[in-house]
Amino acid sequence: MKPIETRLARLARKGDQRAFAEIVELYKDKLYHLAYRMMNNRQEAEDVVQESFLRVFKNLDRYDENQKFSTWIYRIATNLCIDRLRKRRPVYSLDAETDHEGLDGYSMLPSDDRTPESELLLSETQKLIRDAVETLPVKYKSIMILRYLQDLSLQEISEVLDLPVTTVKTRVHRGREYMRKKLESKL
């Protein structure tokens, strides 16, 4: 039996609008979180999600049902993010925190005994991590986000980015080293 997404894709391909709406419902939040973490901008993340679903809709006939649907849709969204990041000029903002609106994808383990001091320390640590991720070169950034924030396996990342697993492993290792050095210089 085929996974639900594959059945929905087949129905949507035949013109079933409710099936496509269900695909959107299943993936809109996942794609938004992926795009937000890569773009670090709410508006751009929303644009990426919208453009991803447009591409999915236009290319449903090209979806290979032997492939996981999630891999296919993540590939579309990730590639759109990478394209936008490559075109983007570095943005330096004195008010960088305002764009986050309380959202942070790098939350630490919650503690029951929170104090204002521990909250401040946690907030500063999260900002350091977020800043370090933001400075990663695109080829490492996309892999680190897919691996540690989207929790994809090395094999799934390989399929999403169309790279050999060995390349993914190398980039995960180098990305971690880059982050470690960046964070050590800040602490």
Side-chain angles (χ1 to χ4, degrees):
M1 189 155 108
K2 293 278 185 187
I4 183 76
E5 295 99 330
T6 305
R7 294 196 306 271
L8 289 171
R10 190 180 297 146
L11 289 170
R13 194 182 289 152
K14 293 177 183 172
D16 186 332
Q17 292 178 352
R18 282 183 297 171
F20 189 75
E22 223 171 303
I23 290 171
V24 170
E25 196 57 41
L26 281 170
Y27 283 96
K28 69 180 182 185
D29 291 340
K30 293 173 185 171
L31 294 184
Y32 176 79
H33 291 297
L34 169 72
Y36 183 80
R37 287 171 175 150
M38 287 188 71
M39 305 307 297
N40 204 24
N41 178 291
R42 195 172 48 86
Q43 185 61 51
E44 278 192 278
E46 290 169 359
D47 291 348
V48 165
V49 171
Q50 203 167 25
E51 194 172 339
S52 296
F53 285 120
L54 281 171
R55 290 203 181 174
V56 166
F57 185 76
K58 286 180 188 174
N59 295 298
L60 269 172
D61 56 321
R62 294 171 64 195
Y63 166 61
D64 176 3
E65 291 185 12
N66 296 319
Q67 181 184 28
K68 282 177 71 177
F69 187 83
S70 60
T71 300
W72 185 65
I73 198 167
Y74 274 132
R75 178 182 295 153
I76 290 169
T78 301
N79 286 340
L80 286 169
C81 288
I82 289 170
D83 289 346
R84 282 175 175 254
L85 285 169
R86 284 186 179 140
K87 291 175 187 169
R88 184 195 278 179
R89 289 198 178 117
V91 177
Y92 301 102
S93 171
L94 296 174
D95 198 17
E97 281 301 307
T98 58
D99 189 43
H100 294 286
E101 297 181 10
L103 291 174
D104 67 57
Y106 311 105
S107 54
M108 305 300 227
L109 293 172
S111 168
D112 293 328
D113 53 341
R114 291 183 176 174
T115 64
E117 294 81 14
S118 69
E119 287 294 312
L120 179 63
L121 185 61
L122 185 62
S123 172
E124 288 173 357
T125 304
Q126 290 168 338
K127 183 173 177 358
L128 285 173
I129 293 170
R130 201 170 33 243
D131 291 348
V133 168
E134 205 41 44
T135 64
L136 281 168
V138 173
K139 67 181 181 178
Y140 300 132
K141 184 176 185 178
S142 57
I143 285 179
M144 296 299 279
I145 288 170
L146 289 169
R147 179 74 182 111
Y148 294 106
L149 300 175
Q150 295 297 317
D151 207 25
L152 296 184
S153 70
L154 296 176
Q155 182 61 43
E156 288 170 321
I157 296 169
S158 165
E159 292 167 10
V160 166
L161 297 177
D162 200 23
L163 293 170
V165 174
T166 53
T167 303
V168 172
K169 283 181 184 176
T170 301
R171 289 187 182 175
V172 164
H173 176 72
R174 289 183 181 159
R176 277 198 307 245
E177 282 299 303
Y178 185 96
M179 293 276 296
R180 185 181 58 74
K181 287 177 184 168
K182 198 78 170 167
L183 290 170
E184 281 176 356
S185 71
K186 301 280 185 190
L187 298 174

